[in-house]
Amino acid sequence: MFPLADSRRFLWLLVPLLGCFLPCLADLKVLVRLEDGQVTEENLQADSDKDFITLEFRKTDGTFVTYLADFKQDVKIFRVLILGELERGQSQFQALCFITRLQSNEIIPSESMAKLRQKNPHAVRQAEEMRGTDTLQMDVAINFTKGVQLTPHIHNICAEAKEAIYTRQEDVRLWLERGIDGSMFEVLPQPSSLPSLHPCKLCHRDWKPCICSYHLSLEWIPCSLKYCKNRDSSGKTTSYRCGIRSCQKAFNFQFYVTQKQLCLWDEET
């Protein structure tokens, strides 16, 4: 076994390899400031042929975050690879996947993203619009094997999180209306039906089931296109694309875990 310090250094090398599931695409690297004030690098990639975008970055604590927008299926995936607390009996890293519907105004089209460039790559970017925090009740588990019906990207991104892929009942209802096989979904226990189920931060036993909470913030997303106006030689006003608008968006995912040991970050301070 690696000593703790060596194991963490090993994970810094391993995590980027787990994240590199895409073919070699032209990408855009942007410096952004995280919630804790530290600066990190976002890596944005777009495939206009397959019509999807990925955004990846590493948080200060070593957590590796992947966001994928699949425009063909109107689905988005959040994957987080969290370094484990080996001294408390956790594995070297813990993987989580959250899958929900992709809304039309969340991120610019893949074709526009593929053309995006920046004039000053050393500038630390700050979002122009703060879109607040959404609390999402991820109360349904998704079967990894069958999940390809939702998006083919699930097998690449969520391979390390086979037993921890979550979605919402409201999303499931929409997918069922579209003919998706309902056997891939399993409704998870909730406090409304199981009063003894409490938030993990209030649970004092590591092996007891609870409702876990995970906070994730995307600090810089190209969320919409900017249009400028011009007059041609005849005096007619025309519009043309002249840049992008950037947004910040945060999410608070709440989901069932079979034991608090799987949610050690959500402890009362």
Side-chain angles (χ1 to χ4, degrees):
M1 291 294 294
F2 295 105
L4 178 59
D6 290 342
S7 296
R8 289 189 179 276
R9 282 195 292 269
F10 172 74
L11 260 294
W12 276 89
L13 297 176
L14 175 64
V15 166
L17 294 178
L18 292 173
C20 294
F21 56 86
L22 295 172
C24 293
L25 300 174
D27 58 14
L28 177 68
K29 291 179 171 58
V30 178
L31 296 178
V32 299
R33 194 173 303 279
L34 298 173
E35 288 179 298
D36 61 7
Q38 299 299 310
V39 174
T40 192
E41 184 180 74
E42 281 187 1
N43 185 8
L44 299 103
Q45 293 183 317
D47 188 321
S48 56
D49 292 331
K50 296 182 179 179
D51 206 11
F52 72 90
I53 290 171
T54 61
L55 182 157
E56 295 184 314
F57 64 94
R58 184 181 286 110
K59 297 171 65 175
T60 308
D61 63 3
T63 298
F64 194 79
V65 177
T66 299
Y67 164 87
L68 182 141
D70 181 349
F71 294 94
K72 284 187 175 181
Q73 300 298 114
D74 293 328
V75 166
K76 62 176 179 282
I77 302 177
F78 301 87
R79 184 195 64 179
V80 292
L81 298 174
I82 306 165
L83 294 181
E85 297 187 35
L86 303 183
E87 67 276 12
R88 297 185 63 176
Q90 288 191 323
S91 58
Q92 289 185 327
F93 70 91
Q94 182 177 345
L96 302 170
C97 266
F98 305 107
I99 302 179
T100 66
R101 286 175 293 157
L102 178 66
Q103 305 298 330
S104 59
N105 63 341
E106 290 187 49
I107 193 167
I108 64 175
S110 60
E111 182 180 0
S112 299
M113 180 73 82
K115 300 175 181 177
L116 201 59
R117 301 292 183 269
Q118 60 177 333
K119 295 180 179 179
N120 184 3
H122 302 293
V124 178
R125 305 294 173 181
Q126 290 186 307
E128 300 168 76
E129 179 183 341
M130 310 300 285
R131 291 189 169 181
T133 302
D134 286 347
T135 296
L136 305 180
Q137 306 293 334
M138 310 302 288
D139 46 10
V140 177
I142 297 177
N143 180 285
F144 172 75
T145 303
K146 298 179 180 180
V148 68
Q149 295 180 58
L150 294 177
T151 170
H153 302 287
I154 192 172
H155 281 181
N156 288 327
I157 296 189
C158 300
E160 294 82 33
K162 292 179 181 179
E163 305 301 323
I165 307 175
Y166 303 94
T167 190
R168 305 179 297 170
Q169 290 195 55
E170 59 187 88
D171 291 321
V172 170
R173 285 192 288 269
L174 178 67
W175 291 328
L176 292 178
E177 292 175 1
R178 294 181 177 179
I180 295 294
D181 180 9
S183 67
M184 78 171 69
F185 305 114
E186 177 189 357
V187 178
L188 298 170
Q190 294 299 308
S192 58
S193 58
L194 194 60
S196 61
L197 199 57
H198 300 294
C200 291
K201 64 182 179 181
L202 302 178
C203 184
H204 302 295
R205 297 181 181 178
D206 283 354
W207 308 107
K208 189 174 181 180
C210 53
I211 299 297
C212 184
S213 180
Y214 189 83
H215 178 79
L216 175 62
S217 181
L218 302 179
E219 296 300 327
W220 192 88
I221 316 169
C223 54
S224 61
L225 298 172
K226 286 182 179 179
Y227 289 87
C228 297
K229 293 182 178 181
N230 193 15
R231 292 184 182 275
D232 59 21
S233 56
S234 64
K236 182 180 179 181
T237 301
T238 59
S239 296
Y240 62 96
R241 294 179 185 178
C242 56
I244 58 100
R245 182 173 182 82
S246 59
C247 297
Q248 180 272 348
K249 183 67 181 178
F251 302 88
N252 187 28
F253 300 102
Q254 297 182 348
F255 54 100
Y256 171 83
V257 290
T258 56
Q259 50 187 296
K260 182 184 176 180
Q261 183 76 358
L262 299 173
C263 186
L264 293 182
W265 59 82
D266 190 21
E267 292 185 318
E268 209 169 21
T269 56

